[in-house]
DNA sequence: CTGAGTTGTGAAGCCGTATGAAAAATATAA
DNA sequence: TTATATTTTTCATACGGCTTCACAACTCAG
């Protein structure tokens, strides 16, 4: 019953063709090549024959056809605010590592903080039948009907697991460190409005500041304005702050990138970091340790966060009905480097002077 | 003939159901919703009826089924060495922008320079039926049977378009700049072996150096060793170089990230940049301008390169039989900032001394 | 009645998966 | 030995949802 197969056809061999060649039905071949539960009722000899032929003709099941039938694409959608340096790349390294181990690929889109895209992309990806979503620093407005894991999402949504940093602890580490160095007049840089971490971290800061008796002065609190993801983040706000007043000895930046911009602004204002102003960053991106001065910063285990989030997502996809935690908390770590130092008496005295106008 | 449709079914409505409800055949509905050429043979009134119903029932064609049929997935595979800061993010920003305008999404994988993955990933993505490939700094060993556009690929492969920087020009800009500042003893940092730019750029350097009479001394040429993508890239090699000799006044780094590491090594060795050693970077990543000292560097229009590469790829996918250029050349730009300066007589004198042991 | 529009459709794909049941082989009962 | 039950092995067939193209049905002018 064997019919010769021309191996040099342009398209890869299909299940049907292979079955014909073997004198079996597609059903049988399908069972065998998938090693499906039903395959154990196929004679061992037949199984071997099928597998040998599949190998010989390099049979690869068509992904689309299979996905169409099984409603699984082994693809997840990743939604991020932007392809930023530091944060994004570190998280994605972790995500990719885990996904590829488990046979998933991912489609990435960046919404740039634009509400229209935040609504549009989930639709687009749902159309593509992704098996699940990984949200990075992104808050969706409508629920999705596949598993979702969110990194730094902060808002609780039904069915969405959230992997996040312990912000209370972060605030504590940073503030206590500055406090111990003698800083009492601290400026704070908050994130962009759409940076989800920002508000929650800010609350933690307020709380801990009160606890150890650091007074938070509104005039020393600035917001990142630009939407770009470069040291531009921090530069203009700190430059402007320094132009109007110098009655602070330290600044706690929203992230390392902004901290680099802040340091530049400090230098450009003729001051020195840390001698005149100490700077604390956030994230511990890879260049933080190599910057001059190297950055004292709160490290987020970003790679690990990506990895764990991906792991949880895949589990939820594969076993949807088991119970899952709705939060995974990660612990920050204080990396003490050169950008923070003891308050100098000399600088402290500045505090007494009226702000530069 | 209208049959009521239960709108609250769990699965989205299918073409067939919609057709039944309209009392038309799936074929007709398909023609209309796709606005296919054949649709003009459908009465205007019918067309409107179909579109109205499609809208009402929120009909969305099933992507998988359609792709299965048309053999188009509107998905491209992007293969990069690593999710690196700087280079990768900037290129991808450009790529994403263009792809999303044209309705394509992309699957990204990073091979980390591992040969097994470089072979494996194209297969994996081909199985997923991507419509084309975008290679970033990656050289494939086997040809692919879909359109491919490569960024900084350098090796000519049949049917692969290559978007690349004019390395002759880059070398000229950097060396002439250093030359004009009086530098004659220049150290060079080459990229990792798998960094495709490295060799080609090096040849350009050799050539131009000879032309203007800069002697390239092998003992001043170092290689990036680690595979990581952080300032670690540059730090150890420069540290070691400085430990063994100090008879150079400038160093031309493989990229900005490495340059940041290099500057750190210079500082840690008790020297100053640029007063003692000038540093030239490459790429002009976003933090280059904010580093202290800010980086003199050769700017690559990375975002634009990504954009153009994506554009060309999409064109090639959609019109495969037209002729296309096999190279798109981009021009570098010299960004003069603080990390380079005039050779000081004082330093130059060091040159006469024997190297530090 | 013929030829030329106009409007629409039937049915064959695309390539697998899943399920109930048939066919073949073997075992058990009468 | 024949009939019946049981197990083993395999298959027919109905999807999944959409595209495509040759052709059908109808209308209308000439």
């Amino acid at each position: 019953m064997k019919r010769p197969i021309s191996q040099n056809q342009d398209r890869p061999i299909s299940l049907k063709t292979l079955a014909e060649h073997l004198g079996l039905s597609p059903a049988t071949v399908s069972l065998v090549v998938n090693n499906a539960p039903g395959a154990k009722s196929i004679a061992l000899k037949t199984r071997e024959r099928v597998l040998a032929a599949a190998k010989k003709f390099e049979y690869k099941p068509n992904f689309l056809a299979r996905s169409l039938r099984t409603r699984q694409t082994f693809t997840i959608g990743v939604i991020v605010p932007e392809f930023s340096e530091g944060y994004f790349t570190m998280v994605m390294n972790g995500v990719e590592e885990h996904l590829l181990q488990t046979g998933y690929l991912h489609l990435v889109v960046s919404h740039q903080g634009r509400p229209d895209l935040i609504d549009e992309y989930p639709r687009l990806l749902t159309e593509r039948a992704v098996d699940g979503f990984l949200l990075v620093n992104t808050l969706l407005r409508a629920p999705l009907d596949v598993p979702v894991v969110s990194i730094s999402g902060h808002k609780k949504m039904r069915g969405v697991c959230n992997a996040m940093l312990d912000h209370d602890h972060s605030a504590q580490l940073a503030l206590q460190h500055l406090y111990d160095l003698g800083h009492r007049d601290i400026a704070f840089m908050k994130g962009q409005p759409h940076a989800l971490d920002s508000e929650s971290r800010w609350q933690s800061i307020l709380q801990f500041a009160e606890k150890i008796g650091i007074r938070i002065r509104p005039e020393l609190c600035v917001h990142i304005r630009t939407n770009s993801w470069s040291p531009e983040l921090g530069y203009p706000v700190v430059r402007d702050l320094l132009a109007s007043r110098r009655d602070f000895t330290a600044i706690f930046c929203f992230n390392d990138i902004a901290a680099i911009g802040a340091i530049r602004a400090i230098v450009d204002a003729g001051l020195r970091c840390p001698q005149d102003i100490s700077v604390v960053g956030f994230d511990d991106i890879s260049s933080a340790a190599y910057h001059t001065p190297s950055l004292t910063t709160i490290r987020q285990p970003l790679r690990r966060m990506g990895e764990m989030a991906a792991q949880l997502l895949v589990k939820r996809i594969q076993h949807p009905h088991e119970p899952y935690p709705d939060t995974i908390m990660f612990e920050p770590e204080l990396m003490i480097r050169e950008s923070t130092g003891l308050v100098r008496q000399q600088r402290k005295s500045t505090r007494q002077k009226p702000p530069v106008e």
Side-chain angles (χ1 to χ4, degrees), chain A:
Chain A
M1 195 55 62
K2 290 201 185 189
R3 294 209 324 208
I5 285 188
S6 76
Q7 279 205 65
N8 53 352
Q9 40 199 351
D10 44 355
R11 280 226 272 282
I13 191 176
S14 78
L15 186 66
K16 195 176 151 196
T17 321
L18 188 63
E20 257 169 33
H21 167 260
L22 281 163
L24 292 168
S25 81
T28 309
V29 179
S30 174
L31 288 178
V32 173
V33 299
N34 291 314
N35 200 13
K40 56 181 183 296
S41 77
I42 305 288
L44 184 60
K45 211 174 142 186
T46 310
R47 285 218 294 268
E48 282 167 352
R49 211 158 57 89
V50 170
L51 291 175
K55 188 162 196 176
K56 179 173 167 202
F57 296 110
E58 296 184 325
Y59 169 70
K60 294 260 186 254
N62 178 308
F63 214 88
L64 294 169
R66 174 184 274 179
S67 294
L68 177 60
R69 197 56 241 242
T70 60
R71 300 174 177 290
Q72 275 198 83
T73 55
F74 286 94
T75 304
I76 73 156
V78 177
I79 304 185
V80 304
E82 63 270 296
F83 294 161
S84 66
E85 318 202 355
Y87 198 98
F88 168 72
T89 50
M90 294 180 80
V91 170
M92 286 314 295
N93 272 309
V95 169
E96 200 208 9
E97 174 160 338
H98 185 80
L99 287 187
L100 285 154
Q101 271 173 27
T102 49
Y104 282 76
L105 291 183
H106 58 280
L107 292 163
V108 200
V109 295
S110 71
H111 57 69
Q112 317 289 337
R114 284 170 44 190
D116 56 326
L117 293 180
I118 295 183
D119 284 347
E120 172 75 8
Y121 282 143
R123 269 206 297 278
L124 208 59
L125 291 166
T126 300
E127 245 178 68
R128 302 277 186 134
V130 295
D131 293 339
F133 280 89
L134 201 56
L135 309 180
V136 179
N137 242 292
T138 295
L139 197 59
L140 259 35
R141 297 196 290 190
L144 294 164
D145 45 5
V146 290
V148 179
V149 172
S150 167
I151 296 180
S152 297
H154 292 290
K155 279 260 174 31
K156 289 207 172 98
M157 264 187 102
R158 226 169 48 77
V160 177
C161 293
N162 206 337
M164 57 192 284
L165 195 71
D166 181 340
H167 276 289
D168 285 344
H169 193 185
S170 318
Q172 180 188 341
L173 287 174
L175 292 188
Q176 187 72 55
H177 172 62
L178 289 174
Y179 188 94
D180 291 347
L181 290 172
H183 297 278
R184 295 296 179 273
D185 300 291
I186 303 174
F188 293 90
M189 185 196 298
K190 295 164 78 171
Q192 302 99 321
H194 75 265
L196 302 183
D197 266 348
S198 186
E199 191 48 33
S200 133
R201 196 187 296 170
W202 182 241
Q203 291 307 324
S204 300
I205 288 172
L206 289 180
Q207 208 175 317
F208 190 75
E210 173 157 338
K211 186 167 163 195
I212 60 172
I214 290 181
R215 193 162 64 89
I216 292 193
R217 290 153 51 200
E219 65 275 21
L220 289 179
C221 297
V222 293
H223 257 89
I224 290 176
R225 307 173 203 137
T226 55
N227 207 354
S228 88
W229 198 275
S230 89
E232 257 167 67
L233 281 179
Y235 186 81
V237 291
V238 175
R239 181 197 55 203
D240 294 353
L241 184 64
L242 285 170
S244 73
R245 58 195 314 131
R246 298 192 168 184
D247 53 346
F248 59 98
T249 61
I251 179 163
F252 184 13
C253 295
F254 184 63
N255 59 35
D256 286 346
I257 302 271
I260 290 173
I263 290 175
R264 185 71 214 189
I266 289 167
V267 171
D268 285 356
L271 301 173
R272 289 159 307 160
C273 169
Q275 293 87 339
D276 297 314
I277 297 183
S278 285
V279 174
V280 177
F282 211 100
D283 289 351
D284 196 23
I285 64 175
S286 57
S287 57
Y290 292 90
H291 192 262
T292 324
S294 58
L295 256 48
T296 293
T297 190
I298 303 296
R299 159 178 250 160
Q300 294 199 60
L302 292 172
R303 190 193 166 93
R304 181 146 181 74
M305 286 166 76
E307 213 175 310
M308 297 293 287
Q311 188 177 47
L312 179 58
L313 180 58
V314 169
K315 268 195 203 154
R316 287 192 53 189
I317 289 170
Q318 296 180 335
H319 311 286
H321 298 301
E322 282 168 32
Y324 293 101
D326 57 35
T327 305
I328 319 178
M329 195 71 98
F330 292 85
E331 288 307 317
E333 195 181 341
L334 173 65
M335 309 301 290
I336 301 179
R337 300 209 184 89
E338 299 166 351
S339 66
T340 49
L342 282 169
V343 172
R344 301 192 316 168
Q345 220 40 46
Q346 178 186 347
R347 273 291 306 150
K348 279 186 81 173
S349 66
T350 321
R351 193 154 56 104
Q352 315 306 341
K353 296 184 194 162
V356 178
E357 189 44 64

